């Protein structure tokens, strides 16, 4: 660490300190590509991971092989202690290199590879000297498993920990399932691994995952204390051991399965259940559980669910990469403080941008600030300063003065072209020369909105989804005159606020609403045919949708759904079914769904109340219903591709997964079609068209082949 001296200016004392990386000046020369090794004057060996060519450390094969050679050195020289830490500023180790998990097909070979990796980690665990992991930033997946094999785990303030493997259809595979349940309360450890969520340092300390949490400046002292054996080490304790006994495991496993079934049904997501089986059978027996973990991990890796979820991981990565950098946007002004505008402004302020918010109604601005405070309260994990700073950045601006200094003006006023154009006529002359004008419109073609603009090339659609804080996707919509630099900056802005940009042309409904609408429309038609809503929704959730189409329609708002459907029907001359009269009546009666407490369902405490048919629905499984709902979506996805709304099938898959929750383990609508087979889908569509009408007729894109047939590569960058 570089210590400030008396001659340094005062701010040196306040500046971020460097990471404590041992005697870096005496790094042992040239032996390793991804690790720096050195030995300090106390005889402590420092193994500092600094993966070459990557801003984030991952546990790739190459990194692990080098670590094995480091262990050779340590076994020969037996230093006084071993410290493992990362040289990357942002964190410790982000887990396995997931790119190495893609397109694998030989279970025995995977097992062999995992067993070899286990061998390396077991050697670390077997060292008789103090082995100390110093974690900062984050320690995830395989990185955390390395730390678990050390006998001392220290974290720098603010570190996050997580086992996100279930999110890609796996469970920890480097001995973590066994070591973690052995070290901590096994039920807490299991729940942590089963949800895949991350936890903060204090929670990790409380559950015994780390032994100490220290500020960076105390890292050296903590290491010295650990070497002396002065730091307490976490142990599972008696209660933990009882919970790890066979009868207790059986009981707990049953409960875990029931809970998991609600979140991730076993027929679609095998990983949580494999993890529960593993612990139920082998918990308490470290070696047996490690062995069984290898076989279970290899089996999971080859499931469709894991391979598709891994693909989704890379789709997210791809959109992040497409965002690019340098938006050049520090200040945002949002016009319209309603459901969307208010939440967009709140999100931008949360993400560090100075954001002013205007509306014709001061009450709307007040309500939006109130919602922002409630949101920050939820997501700040008790960090009062962060909440205060975000609220400071969110500026109520009844006079819309922020328009003049903003780098980006986002209009989220009601969905009326004339009103929006009027707002632009007022705002445009006041905007800075380089500023971008964005609209959050869901349905109005940009070529209609650009009329009358002095500089139409700086108009763009930045289409957020509701709820803004929870849905990661944002469509970045261009018209044929949008300046490409403006589009690039808009994508970078979306990336900067932690969202995923999907570039789309200004065709009706863009990507997401266009693909989603026939699904919602078909659900309404089924209702008209007398099928109870619970049964319709169940067919979709059985397919893997997070909620059924009717519950979703209620969540989005029946008024909004109706307006989008009517616009699409009009603009595209599309044979989707007409909205039923009862739906129009509901909208007139302000029975709009969740937001008014009643729509297709009655809503209580934020949940749809399912009627008596729910039980019948639970017992029915109906593939024909699922096809009637899902295939129109797939068919439309192919149309969107053929029309060139986007020319990248992966952007469609990603948009539907991150914008609507389309069954992620199916990999998106286009990927689903490829896996099921285009021929089979076309014949199912023809069959549906014969029975139910021309709306099911296969799109021309199926026979044109072209983009649909290509299975273009997706980015292989490491996470
Ligand atoms: P909303 O009715 O909740 O909010 C609109 C706000 O604009 C209101 O607070 C209103 O007072 C204000 N307003 C009206 N006239 C104004 C003016 N002249 N100047 C400034 N403010 C004015 O609507 P919303 O649901 O937030 O939708 C806003 C936009 O976002 C629409 O274009 C809509 O299509 C789009 N959108 C909505 C959703 C959604 O789910 N609600 C999703 C994506 C996009």
């Amino acid at each position: 660490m570089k210590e400030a001296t008396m001659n340094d200016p005062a701010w040196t004392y306040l500046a971020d300190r460097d990471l404590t990386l041992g005697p870096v000046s005496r790094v042992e020369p040239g032996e390793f590509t991804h690790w720096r090794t050195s030995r300090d004057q106390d005889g402590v060996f420092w193994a500092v991971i600094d993966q070459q060519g990557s801003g984030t450390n991952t546990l790739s094969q190459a990194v692990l092989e080098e670590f094995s050679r480091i262990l050779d050195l340590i076994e020969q020289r037996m230093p006084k202690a071993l410290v493992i830490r990362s040289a990357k500023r942002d964190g410790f180790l982000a887990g396995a290199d997931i790119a190495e998990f893609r397109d694998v097909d030989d279970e025995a070979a995977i097992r062999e590879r995992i067993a070899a990796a286990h061998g390396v980690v077991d050697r670390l665990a077997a060292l008789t000297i103090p082995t100390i992991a110093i974690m900062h930033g984050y320690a995830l997946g395989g990185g955390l498993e390395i730390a678990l094999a050390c006998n001392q785990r220290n974290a720098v303030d603010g570190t996050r920990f997580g086992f996100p493997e279930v999110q890609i259809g796996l469970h920890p595979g480097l001995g973590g399932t066994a070591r973690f349940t052995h070290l901590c309360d096994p039920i807490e450890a299991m729940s942590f691994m089963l949800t895949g969520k991350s936890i903060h340092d204090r929670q990790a300390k409380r559950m015994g995952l780390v032994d100490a949490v220290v500020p960076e400046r105390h890292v050296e002292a903590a290491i010295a204390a650990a070497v002396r054996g002065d730091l307490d080490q976490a142990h599972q304790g008696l209660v933990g051991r009882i919970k790890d006994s066979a009868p207790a495991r059986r009981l707990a496993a049953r409960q875990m399965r029931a809970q998991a079934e609600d979140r991730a049904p076993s027929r679609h997501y095998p990983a949580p259940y494999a993890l529960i089986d593993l612990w139920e059978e082998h918990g308490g027996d470290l070696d047996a559980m490690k062995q069984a973990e290898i076989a279970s991990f290899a089996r999971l890796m080859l499931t469709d669910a894991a391979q598709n979820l891994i693909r989704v991981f890379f789709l997210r990565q791809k959109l992040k990469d497409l965002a690019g950098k340098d938006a050049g946007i520090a200040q945002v002004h949002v016009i319209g403080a309603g459901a969307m505008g208010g939440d967009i402004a709140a999100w931008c302020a949360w993400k560090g941008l100075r954001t002013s918010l205007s509306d014709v109604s001061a009450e709307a601005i007040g309500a939006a600030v109130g919602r922002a405070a409630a949101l920050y309260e939820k997501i700040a994990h008790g960090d009062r300063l962060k909440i205060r700073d975000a609220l400071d950045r969110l500026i109520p601006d009844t006079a819309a003065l922020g328009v003049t200094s903003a780098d980006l003006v986002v209009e989220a006023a009601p969905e009326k072209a004339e009103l929006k154009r009027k707002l632009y006529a007022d705002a445009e002359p006041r905007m800075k020369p380089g500023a971008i004008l964005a609209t959050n419109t869901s349905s109005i073609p940009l070529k209609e909105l650009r009329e009358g603009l002095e500089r139409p090339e700086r108009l763009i659609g930045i289409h957020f989804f509701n709820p803004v804080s929870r849905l990661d996707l944002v469509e970045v919509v261009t018209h044929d005159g949008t300046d490409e630099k403006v589009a690039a900056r808009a994508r970078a802005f979306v990336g900067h606020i932690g969202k995923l940009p999907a570039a789309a042309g200004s065709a009706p409904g863009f990507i997401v609403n266009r693909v989603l609408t026939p699904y919602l429309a078909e659900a309404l038609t089924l209702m008209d045919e007398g099928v109870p809503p619970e049964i319709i929704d169940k067919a979709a959730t059985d397919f893997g949708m997070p909620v059924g189409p009717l519950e979703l329609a209620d969540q989005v708002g029946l008024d909004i759904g109706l307006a989008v459907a009517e616009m699409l029907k009009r603009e595209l001359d599309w044979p989707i079914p007409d909205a039923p009269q009862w739906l129009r009546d509901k909208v007139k009666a302000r029975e709009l769904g969740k937001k008014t407490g009643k729509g297709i369902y009655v809503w209580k405490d934020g949940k749809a109340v399912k009627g008596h048919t729910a039980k019948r629905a639970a017992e029915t499984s109906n593939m024909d219903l699922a096809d009637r709902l899902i295939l129109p979506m797939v068919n439309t996805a192919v149309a969107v591709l053929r029309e060139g709304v986007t020319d990248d099938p992966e952007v469609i898959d990603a948009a539907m997964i991150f914008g609507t929750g389309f069954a992620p383990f199916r990999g998106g609508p286009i990927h689903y079609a490829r896996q099921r087979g285009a021929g089979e889908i076309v014949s199912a569509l023809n069959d549906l068209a014969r029975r139910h009408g021309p709306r099911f007729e296969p799109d021309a894109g199926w026979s044109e082949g072209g983009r649909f047939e290509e299975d273009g590569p997706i980015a292989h960058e490491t996470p």
Side-chain angles (χ1 to χ4, degrees), residues 335-341 359-361 364 412-415 419-420 423 440-442 463-464 466 556 560:
I335 302 175
M340 293 305 289
D359 198 292
V360 279
S361 148
E415 192 70 338
L419 168 69
K420 287 181 192 284
L423 285 168
N440 188 47
T441 181
S442 308
H463 183 224
F464 286 83
N466 192 4
V556 169
I560 291 172

PDB file of all heavy atoms in Angstrom, residues 335-341 359-361 364 412-415 419-420 423 440-442 463-464 466 556 560, ligand 1:
ATOM      1  N   ILE A 335     -39.821  14.678 -19.220  1.00  0.00           N
ATOM      2  CA  ILE A 335     -41.095  15.409 -19.327  1.00  0.00           C
ATOM      3  C   ILE A 335     -42.224  14.409 -19.099  1.00  0.00           C
ATOM      4  O   ILE A 335     -42.346  13.425 -19.834  1.00  0.00           O
ATOM      5  CB  ILE A 335     -41.258  16.034 -20.733  1.00  0.00           C
ATOM      6  CG1 ILE A 335     -40.091  16.970 -21.044  1.00  0.00           C
ATOM      7  CG2 ILE A 335     -42.596  16.763 -20.838  1.00  0.00           C
ATOM      8  CD1 ILE A 335     -40.110  17.530 -22.474  1.00  0.00           C
ATOM      9  N   GLY A 336     -43.043  14.651 -18.090  1.00  0.00           N
ATOM     10  CA  GLY A 336     -44.139  13.731 -17.775  1.00  0.00           C
ATOM     11  C   GLY A 336     -43.746  12.881 -16.587  1.00  0.00           C
ATOM     12  O   GLY A 336     -42.842  12.050 -16.682  1.00  0.00           O
ATOM     13  N   ALA A 337     -44.408  13.128 -15.433  1.00  0.00           N
ATOM     14  CA  ALA A 337     -44.016  12.419 -14.201  1.00  0.00           C
ATOM     15  C   ALA A 337     -45.018  11.330 -13.863  1.00  0.00           C
ATOM     16  O   ALA A 337     -45.268  11.035 -12.705  1.00  0.00           O
ATOM     17  CB  ALA A 337     -43.898  13.423 -13.056  1.00  0.00           C
ATOM     18  N   GLY A 338     -45.597  10.711 -14.875  1.00  0.00           N
ATOM     19  CA  GLY A 338     -46.587   9.657 -14.636  1.00  0.00           C
ATOM     20  C   GLY A 338     -45.913   8.342 -14.300  1.00  0.00           C
ATOM     21  O   GLY A 338     -44.765   8.296 -13.849  1.00  0.00           O
ATOM     22  N   ALA A 339     -46.676   7.262 -14.561  1.00  0.00           N
ATOM     23  CA  ALA A 339     -46.193   5.925 -14.202  1.00  0.00           C
ATOM     24  C   ALA A 339     -44.796   5.688 -14.764  1.00  0.00           C
ATOM     25  O   ALA A 339     -43.901   5.211 -14.057  1.00  0.00           O
ATOM     26  CB  ALA A 339     -47.165   4.888 -14.742  1.00  0.00           C
ATOM     27  N   MET A 340     -44.575   6.057 -16.019  1.00  0.00           N
ATOM     28  CA  MET A 340     -43.285   5.764 -16.641  1.00  0.00           C
ATOM     29  C   MET A 340     -42.256   6.863 -16.384  1.00  0.00           C
ATOM     30  O   MET A 340     -41.151   6.594 -15.909  1.00  0.00           O
ATOM     31  CB  MET A 340     -43.457   5.569 -18.155  1.00  0.00           C
ATOM     32  CG  MET A 340     -44.244   4.346 -18.533  1.00  0.00           C
ATOM     33  SD  MET A 340     -43.599   2.822 -17.839  1.00  0.00           S
ATOM     34  CE  MET A 340     -42.112   2.612 -18.779  1.00  0.00           C
ATOM     35  N   GLY A 341     -42.626   8.099 -16.702  1.00  0.00           N
ATOM     36  CA  GLY A 341     -41.672   9.207 -16.582  1.00  0.00           C
ATOM     37  C   GLY A 341     -41.107   9.320 -15.174  1.00  0.00           C
ATOM     38  O   GLY A 341     -39.896   9.473 -14.982  1.00  0.00           O
ATOM     39  N   ASP A 359     -43.809  18.240 -15.198  1.00  0.00           N
ATOM     40  CA  ASP A 359     -45.147  17.732 -15.508  1.00  0.00           C
ATOM     41  C   ASP A 359     -46.092  18.932 -15.425  1.00  0.00           C
ATOM     42  O   ASP A 359     -45.784  19.917 -14.753  1.00  0.00           O
ATOM     43  CB  ASP A 359     -45.550  16.668 -14.467  1.00  0.00           C
ATOM     44  CG  ASP A 359     -46.708  15.791 -14.940  1.00  0.00           C
ATOM     45  OD1 ASP A 359     -47.846  16.305 -15.071  1.00  0.00           O
ATOM     46  OD2 ASP A 359     -46.490  14.589 -15.184  1.00  0.00           O
ATOM     47  N   VAL A 360     -47.250  18.826 -16.095  1.00  0.00           N
ATOM     48  CA  VAL A 360     -48.232  19.900 -15.930  1.00  0.00           C
ATOM     49  C   VAL A 360     -48.834  19.847 -14.524  1.00  0.00           C
ATOM     50  O   VAL A 360     -49.384  20.826 -14.035  1.00  0.00           O
ATOM     51  CB  VAL A 360     -49.389  19.827 -16.961  1.00  0.00           C
ATOM     52  CG1 VAL A 360     -48.980  20.427 -18.276  1.00  0.00           C
ATOM     53  CG2 VAL A 360     -49.889  18.400 -17.117  1.00  0.00           C
ATOM     54  N   SER A 361     -48.731  18.690 -13.917  1.00  0.00           N
ATOM     55  CA  SER A 361     -49.317  18.531 -12.583  1.00  0.00           C
ATOM     56  C   SER A 361     -48.215  18.431 -11.525  1.00  0.00           C
ATOM     57  O   SER A 361     -47.403  17.504 -11.552  1.00  0.00           O
ATOM     58  CB  SER A 361     -50.180  17.259 -12.589  1.00  0.00           C
ATOM     59  OG  SER A 361     -50.166  16.649 -11.334  1.00  0.00           O
ATOM     60  N   ALA A 364     -48.354  15.233  -9.640  1.00  0.00           N
ATOM     61  CA  ALA A 364     -47.734  14.068 -10.289  1.00  0.00           C
ATOM     62  C   ALA A 364     -46.241  14.028  -9.959  1.00  0.00           C
ATOM     63  O   ALA A 364     -45.678  12.962  -9.689  1.00  0.00           O
ATOM     64  CB  ALA A 364     -47.948  14.125 -11.797  1.00  0.00           C
ATOM     65  N   ALA A 412     -42.080  11.471 -21.651  1.00  0.00           N
ATOM     66  CA  ALA A 412     -42.951  10.353 -21.253  1.00  0.00           C
ATOM     67  C   ALA A 412     -44.337  10.903 -20.948  1.00  0.00           C
ATOM     68  O   ALA A 412     -44.915  10.656 -19.891  1.00  0.00           O
ATOM     69  CB  ALA A 412     -42.363   9.620 -20.054  1.00  0.00           C
ATOM     70  N   ALA A 413     -44.837  11.703 -21.873  1.00  0.00           N
ATOM     71  CA  ALA A 413     -46.167  12.300 -21.730  1.00  0.00           C
ATOM     72  C   ALA A 413     -47.199  11.316 -22.297  1.00  0.00           C
ATOM     73  O   ALA A 413     -46.834  10.314 -22.909  1.00  0.00           O
ATOM     74  CB  ALA A 413     -46.201  13.628 -22.489  1.00  0.00           C
ATOM     75  N   PRO A 414     -48.497  11.582 -22.107  1.00  0.00           N
ATOM     76  CA  PRO A 414     -49.512  10.643 -22.596  1.00  0.00           C
ATOM     77  C   PRO A 414     -49.348  10.313 -24.084  1.00  0.00           C
ATOM     78  O   PRO A 414     -48.804  11.107 -24.858  1.00  0.00           O
ATOM     79  CB  PRO A 414     -50.824  11.376 -22.318  1.00  0.00           C
ATOM     80  CG  PRO A 414     -50.514  12.263 -21.160  1.00  0.00           C
ATOM     81  CD  PRO A 414     -49.099  12.702 -21.361  1.00  0.00           C
ATOM     82  N   GLU A 415     -49.880   9.129 -24.418  1.00  0.00           N
ATOM     83  CA  GLU A 415     -49.657   8.559 -25.752  1.00  0.00           C
ATOM     84  C   GLU A 415     -50.522   9.261 -26.811  1.00  0.00           C
ATOM     85  O   GLU A 415     -51.450   8.654 -27.374  1.00  0.00           O
ATOM     86  CB  GLU A 415     -49.954   7.050 -25.655  1.00  0.00           C
ATOM     87  CG  GLU A 415     -49.528   6.214 -26.818  1.00  0.00           C
ATOM     88  CD  GLU A 415     -48.027   6.058 -26.942  1.00  0.00           C
ATOM     89  OE1 GLU A 415     -47.270   6.888 -26.404  1.00  0.00           O
ATOM     90  OE2 GLU A 415     -47.602   5.114 -27.616  1.00  0.00           O
ATOM     91  N   LEU A 419     -49.998  15.911 -28.851  1.00  0.00           N
ATOM     92  CA  LEU A 419     -49.482  16.460 -27.592  1.00  0.00           C
ATOM     93  C   LEU A 419     -47.948  16.355 -27.558  1.00  0.00           C
ATOM     94  O   LEU A 419     -47.243  17.305 -27.196  1.00  0.00           O
ATOM     95  CB  LEU A 419     -50.092  15.697 -26.407  1.00  0.00           C
ATOM     96  CG  LEU A 419     -49.452  15.960 -25.046  1.00  0.00           C
ATOM     97  CD1 LEU A 419     -49.750  17.373 -24.578  1.00  0.00           C
ATOM     98  CD2 LEU A 419     -49.948  14.963 -24.004  1.00  0.00           C
ATOM     99  N   LYS A 420     -47.446  15.205 -27.977  1.00  0.00           N
ATOM    100  CA  LYS A 420     -45.991  14.999 -27.943  1.00  0.00           C
ATOM    101  C   LYS A 420     -45.304  15.999 -28.869  1.00  0.00           C
ATOM    102  O   LYS A 420     -44.297  16.614 -28.515  1.00  0.00           O
ATOM    103  CB  LYS A 420     -45.642  13.549 -28.323  1.00  0.00           C
ATOM    104  CG  LYS A 420     -45.988  12.529 -27.221  1.00  0.00           C
ATOM    105  CD  LYS A 420     -45.609  11.122 -27.621  1.00  0.00           C
ATOM    106  CE  LYS A 420     -46.171  10.022 -26.721  1.00  0.00           C
ATOM    107  NZ  LYS A 420     -45.543   9.824 -25.438  1.00  0.00           N
ATOM    108  N   LEU A 423     -45.123  19.334 -27.340  1.00  0.00           N
ATOM    109  CA  LEU A 423     -44.071  19.396 -26.311  1.00  0.00           C
ATOM    110  C   LEU A 423     -42.689  19.563 -26.949  1.00  0.00           C
ATOM    111  O   LEU A 423     -41.838  20.303 -26.452  1.00  0.00           O
ATOM    112  CB  LEU A 423     -44.094  18.120 -25.459  1.00  0.00           C
ATOM    113  CG  LEU A 423     -45.243  18.040 -24.447  1.00  0.00           C
ATOM    114  CD1 LEU A 423     -45.357  16.646 -23.857  1.00  0.00           C
ATOM    115  CD2 LEU A 423     -45.011  19.062 -23.336  1.00  0.00           C
ATOM    116  N   ASN A 440     -40.553   8.015 -25.014  1.00  0.00           N
ATOM    117  CA  ASN A 440     -40.817   6.692 -24.441  1.00  0.00           C
ATOM    118  C   ASN A 440     -42.065   6.075 -25.074  1.00  0.00           C
ATOM    119  O   ASN A 440     -42.623   5.122 -24.557  1.00  0.00           O
ATOM    120  CB  ASN A 440     -41.000   6.849 -22.916  1.00  0.00           C
ATOM    121  CG  ASN A 440     -41.072   5.516 -22.215  1.00  0.00           C
ATOM    122  OD1 ASN A 440     -40.257   4.636 -22.471  1.00  0.00           O
ATOM    123  ND2 ASN A 440     -42.049   5.332 -21.337  1.00  0.00           N
ATOM    124  N   THR A 441     -42.486   6.610 -26.206  1.00  0.00           N
ATOM    125  CA  THR A 441     -43.726   6.099 -26.807  1.00  0.00           C
ATOM    126  C   THR A 441     -43.699   4.582 -26.994  1.00  0.00           C
ATOM    127  O   THR A 441     -42.666   4.005 -27.329  1.00  0.00           O
ATOM    128  CB  THR A 441     -44.006   6.772 -28.167  1.00  0.00           C
ATOM    129  OG1 THR A 441     -45.227   6.245 -28.680  1.00  0.00           O
ATOM    130  CG2 THR A 441     -42.905   6.523 -29.191  1.00  0.00           C
ATOM    131  N   SER A 442     -44.866   3.959 -26.772  1.00  0.00           N
ATOM    132  CA  SER A 442     -44.960   2.508 -26.981  1.00  0.00           C
ATOM    133  C   SER A 442     -45.409   2.206 -28.392  1.00  0.00           C
ATOM    134  O   SER A 442     -45.230   1.089 -28.859  1.00  0.00           O
ATOM    135  CB  SER A 442     -46.021   1.898 -26.076  1.00  0.00           C
ATOM    136  OG  SER A 442     -45.843   2.249 -24.768  1.00  0.00           O
ATOM    137  N   HIS A 463     -37.375   3.251 -25.199  1.00  0.00           N
ATOM    138  CA  HIS A 463     -38.625   2.665 -24.733  1.00  0.00           C
ATOM    139  C   HIS A 463     -38.381   1.742 -23.546  1.00  0.00           C
ATOM    140  O   HIS A 463     -37.888   0.623 -23.699  1.00  0.00           O
ATOM    141  CB  HIS A 463     -39.285   1.901 -25.902  1.00  0.00           C
ATOM    142  CG  HIS A 463     -40.609   1.309 -25.554  1.00  0.00           C
ATOM    143  ND1 HIS A 463     -40.981   0.038 -25.907  1.00  0.00           N
ATOM    144  CD2 HIS A 463     -41.658   1.824 -24.870  1.00  0.00           C
ATOM    145  CE1 HIS A 463     -42.198  -0.202 -25.459  1.00  0.00           C
ATOM    146  NE2 HIS A 463     -42.621   0.859 -24.827  1.00  0.00           N
ATOM    147  N   PHE A 464     -38.734   2.255 -22.360  1.00  0.00           N
ATOM    148  CA  PHE A 464     -38.583   1.476 -21.124  1.00  0.00           C
ATOM    149  C   PHE A 464     -39.806   0.586 -20.938  1.00  0.00           C
ATOM    150  O   PHE A 464     -40.867   0.844 -21.497  1.00  0.00           O
ATOM    151  CB  PHE A 464     -38.498   2.425 -19.923  1.00  0.00           C
ATOM    152  CG  PHE A 464     -37.194   3.161 -19.805  1.00  0.00           C
ATOM    153  CD1 PHE A 464     -36.963   4.318 -20.538  1.00  0.00           C
ATOM    154  CD2 PHE A 464     -36.205   2.714 -18.943  1.00  0.00           C
ATOM    155  CE1 PHE A 464     -35.771   5.016 -20.417  1.00  0.00           C
ATOM    156  CE2 PHE A 464     -35.014   3.407 -18.813  1.00  0.00           C
ATOM    157  CZ  PHE A 464     -34.793   4.559 -19.553  1.00  0.00           C
ATOM    158  N   ASN A 466     -42.397  -1.468 -18.045  1.00  0.00           N
ATOM    159  CA  ASN A 466     -43.003  -1.234 -16.753  1.00  0.00           C
ATOM    160  C   ASN A 466     -43.016  -2.532 -15.933  1.00  0.00           C
ATOM    161  O   ASN A 466     -43.497  -3.530 -16.447  1.00  0.00           O
ATOM    162  CB  ASN A 466     -44.451  -0.764 -17.020  1.00  0.00           C
ATOM    163  CG  ASN A 466     -45.113  -0.212 -15.801  1.00  0.00           C
ATOM    164  OD1 ASN A 466     -44.505  -0.087 -14.753  1.00  0.00           O
ATOM    165  ND2 ASN A 466     -46.392   0.102 -15.933  1.00  0.00           N
ATOM    166  N   VAL A 556     -49.950  -5.125 -16.945  1.00  0.00           N
ATOM    167  CA  VAL A 556     -49.582  -4.036 -17.867  1.00  0.00           C
ATOM    168  C   VAL A 556     -50.653  -2.940 -17.835  1.00  0.00           C
ATOM    169  O   VAL A 556     -50.356  -1.753 -17.970  1.00  0.00           O
ATOM    170  CB  VAL A 556     -49.428  -4.591 -19.297  1.00  0.00           C
ATOM    171  CG1 VAL A 556     -49.313  -3.487 -20.322  1.00  0.00           C
ATOM    172  CG2 VAL A 556     -48.221  -5.516 -19.375  1.00  0.00           C
ATOM    173  N   ILE A 560     -53.752  -0.057 -21.670  1.00  0.00           N
ATOM    174  CA  ILE A 560     -52.530   0.021 -22.478  1.00  0.00           C
ATOM    175  C   ILE A 560     -52.492  -1.132 -23.478  1.00  0.00           C
ATOM    176  O   ILE A 560     -52.230  -0.948 -24.667  1.00  0.00           O
ATOM    177  CB  ILE A 560     -51.294   0.009 -21.557  1.00  0.00           C
ATOM    178  CG1 ILE A 560     -51.256   1.336 -20.786  1.00  0.00           C
ATOM    179  CG2 ILE A 560     -50.006  -0.177 -22.348  1.00  0.00           C
ATOM    180  CD1 ILE A 560     -50.218   1.414 -19.722  1.00  0.00           C
TER     181      ILE A 560
HETATM  182  P1  LIG B   1     -49.275   8.501 -17.458  1.00  0.00           P
HETATM  183  O1  LIG B   1     -50.614   8.941 -17.873  1.00  0.00           O
HETATM  184  O2  LIG B   1     -49.120   7.695 -16.203  1.00  0.00           O
HETATM  185  O3  LIG B   1     -48.321   9.773 -17.293  1.00  0.00           O
HETATM  186  C1  LIG B   1     -48.304  10.852 -18.169  1.00  0.00           C
HETATM  187  C2  LIG B   1     -47.923  12.098 -17.384  1.00  0.00           C
HETATM  188  O4  LIG B   1     -47.745  13.155 -18.292  1.00  0.00           O
HETATM  189  C3  LIG B   1     -48.987  12.534 -16.397  1.00  0.00           C
HETATM  190  O5  LIG B   1     -48.409  12.711 -15.124  1.00  0.00           O
HETATM  191  C4  LIG B   1     -49.493  13.839 -16.965  1.00  0.00           C
HETATM  192  O6  LIG B   1     -49.838  14.777 -15.941  1.00  0.00           O
HETATM  193  C5  LIG B   1     -48.305  14.309 -17.720  1.00  0.00           C
HETATM  194  N1  LIG B   1     -48.626  15.277 -18.758  1.00  0.00           N
HETATM  195  C6  LIG B   1     -49.752  15.418 -19.488  1.00  0.00           C
HETATM  196  N2  LIG B   1     -49.607  16.450 -20.328  1.00  0.00           N
HETATM  197  C7  LIG B   1     -48.398  16.984 -20.124  1.00  0.00           C
HETATM  198  C8  LIG B   1     -47.691  18.079 -20.689  1.00  0.00           C
HETATM  199  N3  LIG B   1     -48.228  18.818 -21.641  1.00  0.00           N
HETATM  200  N4  LIG B   1     -46.458  18.352 -20.215  1.00  0.00           N
HETATM  201  C9  LIG B   1     -45.906  17.597 -19.243  1.00  0.00           C
HETATM  202  N5  LIG B   1     -46.520  16.541 -18.691  1.00  0.00           N
HETATM  203  C10 LIG B   1     -47.763  16.240 -19.129  1.00  0.00           C
HETATM  204  O7  LIG B   1     -48.678   7.734 -18.701  1.00  0.00           O
HETATM  205  P2  LIG B   1     -47.518   6.642 -18.747  1.00  0.00           P
HETATM  206  O8  LIG B   1     -48.113   5.303 -18.568  1.00  0.00           O
HETATM  207  O9  LIG B   1     -46.420   7.076 -17.850  1.00  0.00           O
HETATM  208  O10 LIG B   1     -47.049   6.746 -20.252  1.00  0.00           O
HETATM  209  C11 LIG B   1     -46.199   7.752 -20.712  1.00  0.00           C
HETATM  210  C12 LIG B   1     -45.583   7.324 -22.014  1.00  0.00           C
HETATM  211  O11 LIG B   1     -44.871   6.113 -21.811  1.00  0.00           O
HETATM  212  C13 LIG B   1     -46.578   7.038 -23.115  1.00  0.00           C
HETATM  213  O12 LIG B   1     -46.025   7.436 -24.329  1.00  0.00           O
HETATM  214  C14 LIG B   1     -46.726   5.512 -23.068  1.00  0.00           C
HETATM  215  O13 LIG B   1     -47.091   4.965 -24.303  1.00  0.00           O
HETATM  216  C15 LIG B   1     -45.325   5.122 -22.724  1.00  0.00           C
HETATM  217  N6  LIG B   1     -45.188   3.804 -22.072  1.00  0.00           N
HETATM  218  C16 LIG B   1     -46.053   3.395 -21.115  1.00  0.00           C
HETATM  219  C17 LIG B   1     -45.859   2.153 -20.511  1.00  0.00           C
HETATM  220  C18 LIG B   1     -46.758   1.676 -19.405  1.00  0.00           C
HETATM  221  O14 LIG B   1     -46.761   0.475 -19.096  1.00  0.00           O
HETATM  222  N7  LIG B   1     -47.478   2.547 -18.758  1.00  0.00           N
HETATM  223  C19 LIG B   1     -44.778   1.346 -20.893  1.00  0.00           C
HETATM  224  C20 LIG B   1     -43.901   1.811 -21.857  1.00  0.00           C
HETATM  225  C21 LIG B   1     -44.112   3.050 -22.447  1.00  0.00           C
END
